[in-house]
Amino acid sequence: MKADSDTIAAIATAPGEGAISVVRVSGPGSLEIADRIFRCRGPLPSQRAGGSFVYGYVIHEGTVADEGLLLIYRAPRSYTREDSIEIQGHGGSAASQRILRAILDAGARPANPGEFTQRAFLNGRIDLLQAEAVLDLIRARSDRAAAAALDQMEGRLSRIFGLMYDRLLRLAAEMEATLDFGDEELPPTILQDVALRLQAVEQEMALVLSTWGEGHLLREGALVVIGGKPNVGKSTLLNSLLGTQRAIVNQVPGTTRDTIEEHMVIDGYPVRIVDTAGLRDTDCEVEGEGIRRARHSIQKADILIYMMDASGEVDEEDLAALRAKDEGHTIILANKSDLAISESIRSYMTKTTVIACSLVRNEGIAEIKQRIADQLKSQSSSIHHSAISERHRKILVLAIKDIQEALLILRDKDAEIPLASSHIRSALEHLGEANGRVYHEELLQNIFSRFCIGK
Amino acid sequence: MQYEVIVVGAGHAGCEAALAAARMGATTALITLQSQAIARMSCNPAVGGIAKSHIVCEIDSLGGEMARNTDYTGIQFRTLNTKKGPAVQAFRVQCDKDAYSLRMQAVVRAAPNLSVIEAAVDGLQCHSGRVCGVVLNDQSVIQANTVILTTGTFLRGMIHIGAKQYPGGRNGEPAVPNLSLQLRQMGFRIGRLKTGTPPRIRKESIAWEKLSVQPGEEPPSFFSDEVRQEQMFHVEHCESGSSLESSCGRSGQALFHVEQSALRPWSPGWCQVPCYITHTTTETHAIIRENLSKSSMYGGNITGTGVRYCPSIEDKIVKFADKDSHHVFLEPEGRTHPDIYPNGTSNSLPEDIQERMIRSIPGMERAVFSKWAYAIEYDFCDPTQLFHSLESKIIEGLYMAGQINGTTGYEEAAGQGFLAGVNAVRKCRGLNSWTLSRTESYIGVLIDDLVTKGTNEPYRMFTSRAEYRLLLRQDNACFRMLPHAKEIGIVGSEVLNRWQRQAQEIRTEIARLEKTASQAGTLAQMLRRTGVSYADLNGALPLDSKVVEQVEIEVKYAGYITRESQQALKLQQIDSQLIPNWINYDSIQTLRYECREKLKRLRPESIGQAARISGVTPADIAILAIVIKRGEGTR
Ligand SMILES: Cc1cc2nc3c(=O)[nH]c(=O)nc-3n(C[C@H](O)[C@H](O)[C@H](O)COP(=O)(O)OP(=O)(O)OC[C@H]3O[C@@H](n4cnc5c(N)ncnc54)[C@H](O)[C@@H]3O)c2cc1C
Ligand SMILES: Nc1nc2c(ncn2[C@@H]2O[C@H](COP(=O)(O)OP(=O)(O)OP(=O)(O)O)[C@@H](O)[C@H]2O)c(=O)[nH]1
Ligand SMILES: [Mg+2]
């Protein structure tokens, strides 16, 4: 008995913020995948010797996903005795997930629990004594994955997948019915607007994929922008969060002239944090350009940290800036609480959640970080089990591709339904993987419950 | 007398089983209740239809009889799904019901090594887990190395008409009371299913002029490759007075036709007979609704599960209450047969209600009944107790095929019968079993579904059941079956050589088209354009039509065919990983309990089959693979 011949990938390091993360790939396509996603000096990865390593960049969708080391193993000299690669990148689940995503998009499939060890065993790498341990490992990991899946089962994600599956199954049932039964047995309206209805499902899926949020949050890092009027302490906050004296802090209002962008990791999420020029009317051309850039950043922000002076007034300028952003995407701070909290701020705090802080006294930093982390989490759609969410994304992408192909076929008025149907079956098979449903078993059920067929 | 193979029941499964065995050279006995009921069509006098047609073509390519028997006795030929592409295209042939049975009788009688015995089999004789013969109802025993049960709807058959119920295997034929009880004692799980049939109406009582006509198609499309090849110059007939045997030419292939007296000279497909279409009315529906409680099914007399896709008219009216009319097809039972079959009116209402109901349908206002509609309940044997060879896992040498396995339909029965017949002979010869995979045939899909998933309603074939629909077309059946046909050895070498040559020509020609350039791209690319046929190509060769057809399809659908072939290959890989006999599921504690129980009960033959069992997860399969590998290491 031999292991399967496809190529699998998984994050090998434990979740959490280790110093490095390792993503492992095994199977005959490993080196080809490395060629596709890894940029380095000198020869392509596939031209390199087994046992060697090289520094370079992981590229995904045209941008750098991470930098790190690529290790090359050639069969049979690897853990699984297959061609394998390992990419060691930055620590933190976000970095490793970006790498994994690049690898999956390049043609690997997510490994099942314990699959690397299983392959190692099937290929004769691990001896018989260890086999028992392998069995326990597979059982344990798959139970854990199942528990995680169960968590989701009640959740939004699984409901969404269930809905999409059902709608697609209905369409598939109609198509299949026209193939397995004569026209005179079927309602004349069958397949009416099938392309439109299919398109609706596809759009829904595309929407789920895009509002996933997590996608770009992970790839580029969430854009967190600190905004507010001059001199409220924005640059001070940037420095506090980064733990360095990155930005110039001064009591002169209008100190910061240009936007300053820095990278950091908050709770495993990559974040691009931006300090901006204070918002006010100005005649100075340089400051004016800075403010224009500040507004632009605020507009694009995934999270806006809007800062006010706790001892000052909430004015129309503040309210206008806050109105421009969704509530779920703003965190409002009242800084300098050590000085005083004005009546105006106090009454504002009764209407809205405002974090009072004093950055010079180091008060409130932890709370601010926590709020950022919470918002990142909710924006990335409350999926915490990374392996599973990665799988879901891949499934959606494949299903959408199939539906698009089906739509292409259906554009032709003499379209052959079996061809479109072949893609829809494939899409259903992908979606079914997400929630353990098997379309073969449900298709006929669906046909018979809806159409009176059979002579 | 000790037979190598005994086949019990000469229905559609039994005839194929017995013919296959005998043609492979095994001494075979076909034991059946009535020899004039051989290959009787219990229900609809039609063969083929969507997905079933594929099975018929596969049977033909393997050397079975159903296709030829249908072509020679067909009275209306039609092609279905013509606009939906080659994958789902299908033939449906209306047969002369009596002729169908008579011709098959002649073929069976003429087959070498085959004895027909008219008797009722009451039980099996077994010795230490192996079958060794059958016991007839006079307690005499006939010995055999292998036994194939193809008993159809006869096991504890119970016929229902309204409140009336009485034992019967089929209209006017007795039920078989003991056999299924014995099977149960041996440890087989036995279940109960039901099906039904419409009444039969005298032709002369129908007002044809009110109905729309559904004519046959010209030229007729034949299932059988041989009939297609020969019909132009071959006339099957038998001189009056000559014995059937002497008119049967090559190696027992009966060259006989039952209608030669009516039409002479006669050739298959001549003089087709039309069908007619009418419909139920609101009155029909009202009558049924008012009398629902008198129907055996709705009155609660029947417990067996019915056929969703062949619903009784009661079912249609209850479940689809919003429809106020359903089609009814009036199909002749034969060229000269006095009855028509009103397709779509299957029911189990009492006689008087049947009469009122039928007479509310346009064209049948004065209908005279020659047979009443009825429903029948019968025992079937859970097919997950069989291997893919259709040999039972419980008793060695015992095979089952046809409706006894929970299927419905002549074609499904015949496909299983053929495969069981071949395997019984191979068993006698000490050869390994012969199976068909889901990736290469509808028969393979059928049998894999049955033995892996079982069924809780009468199982019928649909193209939706096949994963690789673009690969499993009826037009390429002979090429798909070619390696198997060679191995089995029933199909003559002349025919095999022709298919072989054609297959080669197809491959060569596709390769040529792929690499020959034309004005715009290769010839293959030209052929892929819509509306372009092979003949339009610059440099088309004078190939025979079968080859041209295949080249066109294979080139036009190349993308899909490649895609499905790749998927099929994966399935073949896991299907070829066999689960060894020494496996002991109880000792694999890492498997979940429910999974262990399922595997113990089903005893899958391969990793692939195990993976198709519902509820078995990829983790379970991974564990199983490791246990097998470990076991192989220590052995
Ligand atoms: C009322 C009715 C309605 C049906 N309706 C449909 C339908 O709507 N659609 C459809 O696709 N199919 C229908 N069928 C099913 C179709 O007829 C069968 O699926 C098909 O004929 C099964 O073939 P078989 O070879 O398994 O059995 P059968 O054709 O039933 O043949 C069984 C044979 O075994 C013989 N036999 C049985 N027991 C013994 C014994 N102990 N000893 C000796 N001989 C024995 C019988 O005499 C008979 O010749 C219907 C069948 C019936 C009876
Ligand atoms: N009392 C008090 N002073 C603070 C606090 N935080 C910042 N400051 C002071 O406020 C002044 C302005 O701070 P910055 O961080 O430069 O303010 P800014 O919002 O970046 O200002 P611009 O760049 O000019 O828009 C500095 O003198 C800081 O030391 C605080 O919590 N309490
Ligand atoms: Mg500043």
Side-chain angles (χ1 to χ4, degrees):
Chain A
M1 180 166 303
K2 279 202 55 188
D4 293 347
S5 56
D6 51 359
T7 300
I8 55 172
I11 299 171
T13 34
E17 281 189 53
I20 59 158
S21 64
V22 175
V23 179
R24 193 185 275 162
V25 185
S26 179
S30 303
L31 294 168
E32 207 177 299
I33 287 172
D35 284 354
R36 235 173 269 156
I37 62 155
F38 201 80
R39 293 284 162 278
C40 54
R41 282 169 183 274
L44 283 173
S46 63
Q47 306 306 313
R48 292 172 185 267
S52 66
F53 60 88
V54 57
Y55 173 82
Y57 297 90
V58 176
I59 307 291
H60 186 225
E61 293 178 352
T63 63
V64 174
D66 201 4
E67 58 180 339
L69 279 187
L70 170 75
L71 284 70
I72 293 160
Y73 302 89
R74 287 182 181 275
R77 303 189 145 185
S78 73
Y79 178 60
T80 54
R81 294 212 160 161
E82 302 174 325
D83 282 351
S84 299
I85 57 165
E86 243 175 58
I87 296 176
Q88 303 187 349
H90 284 123
S93 62
S96 47
Q97 277 193 45
R98 271 177 309 198
I99 299 175
L100 177 60
R101 176 165 297 177
I103 291 169
L104 296 182
D105 282 353
R109 76 165 162 80
N112 292 323
E115 200 171 0
F116 284 94
T117 314
Q118 184 197 346
R119 287 189 176 198
F121 176 78
L122 291 179
N123 292 326
R125 165 70 196 262
I126 301 177
D127 68 23
L128 288 172
L129 285 176
Q130 288 170 278
E132 211 60 54
V134 179
L135 296 183
D136 288 337
L137 186 79
I138 293 175
R139 179 83 281 150
R141 291 218 183 136
S142 89
D143 285 350
R144 209 161 47 230
L150 217 68
D151 273 356
Q152 291 187 11
M153 210 64 97
E154 275 124 28
R156 197 167 81 100
L157 185 60
S158 123
R159 265 204 314 281
I160 292 173
F161 268 78
L163 277 173
M164 292 187 299
Y165 179 93
D166 286 338
R167 289 177 61 183
L168 202 56
L169 187 75
R170 281 175 76 84
L171 284 166
E174 283 181 41
M175 290 191 186
E176 298 281 336
T178 65
L179 303 179
D180 270 329
F181 300 92
D183 294 337
E184 69 277 1
E185 295 177 73
L186 294 162
T189 53
I190 197 165
L191 286 191
Q192 206 170 50
D193 305 330
V194 66
L196 277 179
R197 285 182 288 153
L198 199 54
Q199 207 158 24
V201 179
E202 187 235 354
Q203 276 163 5
E204 189 175 305
M205 291 168 69
L207 193 71
V208 173
L209 193 63
S210 71
T211 53
W212 213 250
E214 196 197 31
H216 87 271
L217 290 189
L218 287 182
R219 212 161 37 242
E220 292 137 27
L223 188 64
V224 178
V225 176
I226 308 169
K229 289 190 291 189
N231 213 34
V232 292
K234 301 185 292 297
S235 301
T236 311
L237 177 62
L238 178 80
N239 291 344
S240 308
L241 287 172
L242 291 173
T244 59
Q245 294 305 310
R246 173 68 181 81
I248 303 166
V249 171
N250 197 282
Q251 73 270 31
V252 179
T255 304
T256 309
R257 290 296 181 90
D258 198 358
T259 51
I260 301 174
E261 180 172 327
E262 275 302 317
H263 287 258
M264 67 177 296
V265 175
I266 296 178
D267 205 27
Y269 289 95
V271 165
R272 287 185 294 152
I273 190 141
V274 179
D275 179 23
T276 61
L279 305 170
R280 66 171 169 185
D281 287 333
T282 178
D283 295 333
C284 172
E285 243 181 69
V286 178
E287 192 183 355
E289 174 59 19
I291 291 171
R292 209 188 55 72
R293 289 187 185 187
R295 294 197 195 279
H296 183 65
S297 293
I298 288 172
Q299 201 193 341
K300 279 202 317 189
D302 293 304
I303 296 174
L304 167 64
I305 300 180
Y306 193 81
M307 192 179 262
M308 299 186 288
D309 185 336
S311 60
E313 302 286 303
V314 183
D315 65 13
E316 194 42 48
E317 175 96 55
D318 293 319
L319 295 175
L322 282 166
R323 268 199 301 274
K325 209 80 201 159
D326 265 3
E327 222 177 298
H329 295 258
T330 28
I331 297 169
I332 305 171
L333 304 182
N335 187 31
K336 308 192 185 181
S337 62
D338 52 292
L339 298 180
I341 299 183
S342 72
E343 231 4 85
S344 159
I345 291 282
R346 246 182 238 291
S347 84
Y348 187 67
M349 282 171 86
T350 58
K351 289 176 269 175
T352 325
T353 322
V354 176
I355 301 174
C357 58
S358 169
L359 295 176
V360 287
R361 291 193 186 162
N362 240 336
E363 284 169 20
I365 291 287
E367 196 183 346
I368 295 168
K369 274 195 178 170
Q370 187 56 50
R371 279 290 299 280
I372 298 174
D374 289 349
Q375 290 214 359
L376 286 171
K377 205 174 277 171
S378 76
Q379 283 189 31
S380 60
S381 79
S382 72
I383 300 154
H384 34 269
H385 195 283
S386 56
I388 285 180
S389 65
E390 216 25 76
R391 229 182 97 226
H392 280 89
R393 191 194 71 96
K394 171 115 193 191
I395 284 169
L396 268 187
V397 169
L398 292 173
I400 289 177
K401 197 166 147 240
D402 267 316
I403 296 180
Q404 285 168 343
E405 300 228 21
L407 280 166
L408 215 62
I409 293 167
L410 291 170
R411 273 216 308 245
D412 183 352
K413 74 171 179 7
D414 297 323
E416 285 183 20
I417 299 297
L419 305 185
S421 199
S422 153
H423 289 290
I424 300 302
R425 285 168 162 218
S426 162
L428 274 172
E429 194 146 328
H430 291 309
L431 285 180
E433 262 174 49
N435 43 10
R437 289 170 68 174
V438 186
Y439 81 86
H440 304 100
E441 283 160 23
E442 297 186 40
L443 201 54
L444 287 166
Q445 200 89 18
N446 198 294
I447 296 177
F448 297 130
S449 63
R450 290 168 58 206
F451 307 115
C452 180
I453 15 196
K455 294 174 182 175
Chain B
M1 164 92 196
Q2 162 96 22
Y3 290 96
E4 287 181 281
V5 181
I6 284 181
V7 179
V8 181
H12 305 278
C15 289
E16 293 293 352
L19 285 171
R23 286 168 175 170
M24 284 173 78
T27 53
T28 307
L30 177 56
I31 308 179
T32 197
L33 293 174
Q34 287 175 40
S35 61
Q36 351 77 286
I38 285 177
R40 176 169 291 172
M41 299 174 125
S42 319
C43 194
N44 193 331
V47 172
I50 299 165
K52 290 163 169 268
S53 170
H54 291 66
I55 297 179
V56 180
C57 291
E58 289 168 8
I59 295 173
D60 182 57
S61 307
L62 292 166
E65 193 62 31
M66 176 170 254
R68 244 173 310 176
N69 211 56
T70 304
D71 290 341
Y72 281 130
T73 59
I75 55 176
Q76 193 204 52
F77 296 76
R78 296 210 307 134
T79 307
L80 311 177
N81 273 352
T82 47
K83 294 204 185 76
K84 294 173 191 163
V88 293
Q89 230 163 66
F91 300 151
R92 184 177 188 274
V93 177
Q94 204 68 41
C95 290
D96 185 303
K97 184 177 181 165
D98 292 336
Y100 190 93
S101 167
L102 278 169
R103 185 184 181 280
M104 191 65 93
Q105 287 173 43
V107 172
V108 164
R109 290 242 165 70
N113 317 315
L114 180 55
S115 329
V116 176
I117 300 171
E118 203 176 62
V121 169
D122 213 33
L124 297 170
Q125 198 169 56
C126 300
H127 186 69
S128 52
R130 227 205 120 121
V131 75
C132 52
V134 298
V135 185
L136 304 185
N137 64 351
D138 62 5
Q139 299 312 309
S140 62
V141 171
I142 305 182
Q143 276 168 350
N145 300 349
T146 57
V147 172
I148 306 174
L149 294 180
T150 56
T151 49
T153 47
F154 285 68
L155 303 184
R156 294 206 311 124
M158 182 67 76
I159 290 177
H160 298 261
I161 300 179
K164 262 198 298 201
Q165 58 187 78
Y166 52 89
R170 196 158 52 189
N171 185 34
E173 296 177 51
V176 171
N178 295 330
L179 193 51
S180 48
L181 298 178
Q182 191 201 11
L183 289 174
R184 196 190 291 272
Q185 277 163 12
M186 289 172 164
F188 285 96
R189 287 183 298 276
I190 305 288
R192 209 135 168 87
L193 293 174
K194 81 137 226 265
T195 185
T197 194
R200 305 298 193 273
I201 309 294
R202 304 289 292 194
K203 267 180 189 164
E204 72 271 6
S205 69
I206 289 169
W208 302 105
E209 64 285 357
K210 294 189 180 174
L211 309 174
S212 51
V213 188
Q214 194 179 43
E217 123 200 329
E218 295 289 354
S221 35
F222 296 112
F223 284 117
S224 158
D225 193 57
E226 183 193 292
V227 176
R228 269 196 299 270
Q229 292 289 323
E230 297 186 349
Q231 51 135 345
M232 301 313 290
F233 42 87
H234 171 74
V235 175
E236 206 188 34
H237 67 150
C238 119
E239 292 307 319
S240 47
S242 70
S243 79
L244 286 174
E245 276 75 9
S246 70
S247 70
C248 296
R250 294 156 296 147
S251 63
Q253 289 175 4
L255 299 181
F256 162 81
H257 195 268
V258 282
E259 296 184 317
Q260 29 68 30
S261 55
L263 286 159
R264 190 196 299 235
W266 177 91
S267 152
W270 273 30
C271 283
Q272 296 193 40
V273 178
C275 294
Y276 293 82
I277 307 179
T278 178
H279 54 87
T280 58
T281 59
T282 44
E283 195 192 339
T284 320
H285 293 211
I287 296 171
I288 294 170
R289 227 172 268 127
E290 276 161 32
N291 295 285
L292 216 49
S293 60
K294 296 184 189 160
S295 143
S296 337
M297 238 187 340
Y298 283 86
N301 276 346
I302 295 184
T303 51
T305 317
V307 203
R308 281 181 302 176
Y309 29 79
C310 253
S312 65
I313 194 152
E314 296 100 307
D315 260 346
K316 291 190 206 177
I317 278 151
V318 172
K319 294 193 183 136
F320 296 91
D322 52 324
K323 286 194 79 173
D324 48 20
S325 177
H326 296 278
H327 283 290
V328 174
F329 299 82
L330 302 186
E331 303 173 341
E333 292 238 295
R335 206 185 289 284
T336 54
H337 198 287
D339 294 343
I340 67 104
Y341 175 103
N343 198 338
T345 63
S346 164
N347 70 80
S348 55
L349 294 162
E351 291 91 336
D352 55 327
I353 311 295
Q354 286 192 29
E355 199 168 76
R356 278 179 54 206
M357 186 267 286
I358 289 287
R359 288 183 176 173
S360 70
I361 297 173
M364 295 207 277
E365 293 85 351
R366 296 166 191 282
V368 175
F369 283 64
S370 62
K371 291 188 188 88
W372 298 111
Y374 64 91
I376 182 165
E377 265 188 302
Y378 53 93
D379 284 348
F380 81 107
C381 198
D382 175 359
T384 62
Q385 302 166 103
L386 303 175
F387 293 112
H388 281 87
S389 60
L390 296 181
E391 182 179 13
S392 88
K393 294 170 181 170
I394 297 176
I395 305 281
E396 199 183 342
L398 175 66
Y399 295 77
M400 301 192 197
Q403 196 124 358
I404 189 175
N405 288 341
T407 60
T408 168
Y410 312 137
E411 304 80 358
E412 287 85 346
Q416 294 170 63
F418 183 88
L419 186 131
V422 171
N423 278 313
V425 177
R426 292 178 72 93
K427 180 101 194 174
C428 298
R429 309 261 156 92
L431 299 171
N432 59 352
S433 59
W434 168 67
T435 57
L436 287 168
S437 121
R438 302 183 76 83
T439 62
E440 61 187 350
S441 68
Y442 272 80
I443 301 178
V445 172
L446 165 74
I447 291 176
D448 185 58
D449 277 352
L450 289 175
V451 305
T452 307
K453 303 199 172 111
T455 186
N456 47 21
E457 65 177 335
Y459 180 104
R460 188 200 132 164
M461 188 41 76
F462 293 104
T463 71
S464 329
R465 299 197 194 268
E467 295 87 341
Y468 314 107
R469 197 153 50 189
L470 272 306
L471 301 182
L472 310 186
R473 310 182 307 271
Q474 67 169 18
D475 60 68
N476 68 355
C478 66
F479 304 114
R480 288 188 278 120
M481 294 300 103
L482 183 56
H484 297 290
K486 274 189 197 158
E487 172 155 8
I488 294 165
I490 296 178
V491 178
S493 59
E494 183 190 323
V495 177
L496 291 176
N497 290 339
R498 185 175 70 237
W499 291 344
Q500 180 83 57
R501 197 195 64 234
Q502 288 172 332
Q504 183 57 49
E505 278 175 20
I506 294 163
R507 273 196 300 276
T508 315
E509 182 59 4
I510 292 174
R512 188 183 75 91
L513 297 183
E514 291 289 1
K515 63 173 201 279
T516 310
S518 71
Q519 309 91 297
T522 63
L523 285 176
Q525 283 166 334
M526 293 284 288
L527 185 51
R528 265 176 216 128
R529 295 188 183 170
T530 38
V532 176
S533 67
Y534 181 78
D536 301 332
L537 293 182
N538 212 335
L541 304 176
L543 300 167
D544 62 60
S545 60
K546 181 86 191 162
V547 173
V548 169
E549 173 195 57
Q550 290 304 302
V551 167
E552 281 181 346
I553 295 172
E554 297 274 337
V555 169
K556 280 190 187 291
Y557 297 91
Y560 288 88
I561 290 175
T562 316
R563 186 170 123 136
E564 289 194 356
S565 303
Q566 281 163 355
Q567 291 165 347
L569 204 66
K570 277 196 186 162
L571 192 83
Q572 276 162 8
Q573 268 170 10
I574 54 169
D575 273 353
S576 68
Q577 299 176 8
L578 299 184
I579 298 178
N581 279 328
W582 51 255
I583 200 117
N584 174 3
Y585 294 112
D586 279 326
S587 72
I588 314 175
Q589 290 302 319
T590 7
L591 282 177
R592 288 166 306 128
Y593 174 78
E594 52 179 298
C595 170
R596 275 205 306 269
E597 290 303 303
K598 264 191 185 149
L599 291 171
K600 261 161 63 185
R601 190 152 62 85
L602 290 165
R603 288 168 57 195
E605 294 157 76
S606 68
I607 294 279
Q609 194 193 357
R612 285 192 292 277
I613 295 171
S614 68
V616 173
T617 66
D620 298 327
I621 292 301
I623 288 169
L624 201 56
I626 288 180
V627 169
I628 292 170
K629 168 84 178 180
R630 183 182 54 183
E632 280 165 0
T634 52
R635 237 147 262 262

